[in-house]
Amino acid sequence: MNLTTVEKALDIILSNSENFGIEEVSFLNSRGRVLKEDIVADRDFPPFNRVSMDGIAIQSEAFFKGVRTFDIEGIQAAGNPQLHLQNSHNCLEAMTGAVLPKNTDAVIPYELVEINNGTATVGVESIKKFQNIHKKGLDRKQGTLLIHKDTVISSAEIGVLATVGKSTIKVAKQPKVIIVSTGNELVEVSETPKEHQIRRSNVYTLVSLLERLNIKAETAHILDDKELLKQRIKSFLNDYDVLLFSGAVSKGKYDFIPEVLDNLGVNKLFHRVQQRPGKPFWFGKKDTTTIFAFPGNPVSTFVGCLKYFYPWFQKSVGINFENKQQAALSDDFYFKPQLTYFLQVKLTQNEGTLMATPISGRGSGDLANLIDADAFLELPADRTNFTKGEVFPLINYR
């Protein structure tokens, strides 16, 4: 059977992205979501000439004419309406964040002023006009584009959204996802497995990986019964945007998923990829529902989600993402099969270069080996020898 190359598989997946629509959410609940509107300044930033140091506000012309002692007319506090300096030879005390009083154009900090009996005496011989004043509109003008559509919202954007009064914002809807495990050998995490059983782990690994994308996925488990699989999956195809399977896609006697999906009218776009781990990976569509069926070995499921589901999701919600991470091999490495190899590596820095040290494991079933590594180094399929110092694409999961 011909294998689909990793490059072709990813190209097929990305060409089958979906638009899940737009919803409005509170700005406080938007971190990690993808913005679907441009955010502009509703006023100048700052919206007024703002005092940037505690001190006295004066008319600089008076200082230039030799005045060094100023009677204090009052206090301009932050949050209070703008005061007006009545006598240009006087001053107003002004607090950080306050609007600059009218008829003043310089602020001298308290550290350079001595105040006695309502009079401020300045102890410097030179000042600059508009010193210690954050001018109106200096940062951004009203109407300036502040945050571009399709930005992934971080804490920095949250602050800007609050500043411009966007209490609710438009974001990309998240897909409705269910993660399905199959197999009679699997039991729940809380159960004590019998000798021939293991606990469900792949499902919860995928749940955690999707939570990094702010996707709250549901889970299900189905026994190795063809009719039961068909019944349950038929329902899932109607109720979810994405189905993620772990297991039952290889050539075993009970690997029913490809057959069941075919019987349910799902369009297989490829099955089996020229890679290790994860060669039996299956991908298909039915209408707007997308199906990722990963092999059941835990490392295969893990790397498959990072390599294929993550980019598909990012394109679907409008994130212009390209993985440009790379690392250099710390040692020579040999891999014979003509397969793209996702090598588990430990990352270190060496004189500014990110180095990837191969971590030996016991194959794609060695779940614990993921703990010892930080990332996967993607080695191309057309070679067998990889030399120390060579740089390759990196999928970092730490």
Side-chain angles (χ1 to χ4, degrees):
M1 180 184 292
N2 291 332
L3 300 179
T4 303
T5 65
V6 167
E7 295 76 17
K8 181 63 175 177
L10 185 58
D11 183 63
I12 291 171
I13 288 170
L14 293 180
S15 66
N16 283 276
S17 60
E18 288 289 341
N19 185 337
F20 309 116
I22 295 172
E23 64 179 346
E24 288 201 5
V25 300
S26 165
F27 80 104
L28 280 174
N29 298 324
S30 67
R31 188 169 64 86
R33 301 293 294 274
V34 181
L35 185 66
K36 285 299 174 183
E37 60 177 312
D38 288 334
I39 302 298
V40 300
D42 65 330
R43 60 205 295 219
D44 287 345
F45 281 22
F48 48 79
N49 288 331
R50 184 172 63 199
V51 176
S52 59
M53 291 192 73
D54 296 327
I56 61 169
I58 67 168
Q59 172 56 251
S60 61
E61 190 62 30
F63 183 93
F64 296 147
K65 290 180 178 178
V67 178
R68 295 293 182 271
T69 301
F70 302 84
D71 290 337
I72 299 171
E73 291 185 4
I75 300 176
Q76 178 71 70
N80 284 358
Q82 186 180 35
L83 299 178
H84 189 288
L85 184 67
Q86 300 299 319
N87 186 329
S88 62
H89 285 201
N90 292 344
C91 71
L92 285 161
E93 293 185 69
M95 304 298 107
T96 300
V99 61
L100 183 70
K102 291 180 181 178
N103 199 32
T104 68
D105 59 9
V107 174
I108 302 174
Y110 279 135
E111 291 83 354
L112 303 177
V113 175
E114 184 177 335
I115 296 178
N116 289 300
N117 298 321
T119 298
T121 301
V122 177
V124 293
E125 291 303 318
S126 67
I127 65 168
K128 294 180 180 179
K129 194 172 183 179
F130 287 105
Q131 71 175 28
N132 301 315
I133 297 166
H134 197 170
K135 284 190 176 182
K136 178 182 178 181
L138 180 64
D139 298 341
R140 300 290 189 277
K141 295 291 186 182
Q142 181 178 0
T144 300
L145 179 61
L146 300 176
I147 312 174
H148 288 270
K149 176 183 175 182
D150 292 331
T151 296
V152 179
I153 299 168
S154 71
S155 299
E157 283 76 27
I158 296 290
V160 173
L161 293 169
T163 297
V164 301
K166 290 291 292 184
S167 59
T168 61
I169 56 168
K170 294 177 181 178
V171 297
K173 277 186 178 180
Q174 299 290 70
K176 189 177 181 183
V177 180
I178 188 164
I179 301 168
V180 184
S181 59
T182 65
N184 297 343
E185 76 279 15
L186 300 178
V187 299
E188 281 299 332
V189 175
S190 58
E191 296 182 46
T192 301
K194 297 177 182 178
E195 288 187 2
H196 59 279
Q197 295 175 323
I198 58 174
R199 294 185 179 93
R200 295 171 71 203
S201 58
N202 286 0
V203 162
Y204 300 109
T205 298
L206 288 172
V207 165
S208 179
L209 285 171
L210 266 59
E211 282 183 348
R212 291 175 62 186
L213 302 172
N214 281 286
I215 299 173
K216 302 298 182 183
E218 298 180 40
T219 66
H221 181 70
I222 312 174
L223 297 176
D224 288 326
D225 179 285
K226 196 179 297 186
E227 286 305 312
L228 181 59
L229 283 164
K230 186 174 180 180
Q231 177 187 343
R232 297 286 303 280
I233 293 172
K234 182 179 180 181
S235 173
F236 296 155
L237 289 169
N238 291 326
D239 296 338
Y240 294 90
D241 300 309
V242 183
L243 276 57
L244 294 181
F245 290 95
S246 177
V249 293
S250 192
K251 292 183 177 182
K253 295 290 185 181
Y254 297 96
D255 288 342
F256 297 133
I257 293 297
E259 179 185 347
V260 169
L261 291 173
D262 182 63
N263 290 339
L264 290 171
V266 178
N267 179 27
K268 179 186 76 175
L269 295 173
F270 63 78
H271 185 195
R272 296 173 62 82
V273 180
Q274 187 183 349
Q275 67 180 48
R276 182 180 292 176
K279 185 163 65 174
F281 175 35
W282 189 104
F283 177 77
K285 298 268 293 188
K286 184 173 183 182
D287 300 323
T288 58
T289 301
T290 308
I291 299 92
F292 294 79
F294 300 121
N297 284 324
V299 180
S300 302
T301 296
F302 196 89
V303 72
C305 183
L306 293 170
K307 176 65 180 179
Y308 298 110
F309 178 80
Y310 268 44
W312 175 87
F313 167 77
Q314 287 156 342
K315 185 177 180 185
S316 293
V317 295
I319 301 173
N320 184 18
F321 175 81
E322 181 182 356
N323 183 21
K324 295 183 179 180
Q325 286 188 299
Q326 293 183 318
L329 266 174
S330 66
D331 302 290
D332 293 342
F333 188 78
Y334 175 81
F335 181 70
K336 185 175 181 179
Q338 288 190 328
L339 303 170
T340 297
Y341 187 50
F342 295 104
L343 173 66
Q344 294 180 72
V345 294
K346 190 75 176 176
L347 300 177
T348 55
Q349 288 282 347
N350 182 14
E351 296 181 351
T353 299
L354 186 62
M355 304 298 296
T357 301
I359 299 296
S360 60
R362 294 172 178 82
S364 59
D366 189 358
L367 173 63
N369 203 49
L370 291 170
I371 299 172
D372 299 326
D374 299 316
F376 296 95
L377 201 64
E378 185 174 334
L379 305 180
D382 58 354
R383 297 172 53 187
T384 57
N385 291 292
F386 305 92
T387 307
K388 176 182 178 180
E390 282 191 280
V391 175
F392 299 99
L394 184 75
I395 302 174
N396 193 343
Y397 57 83
R398 293 292 184 187

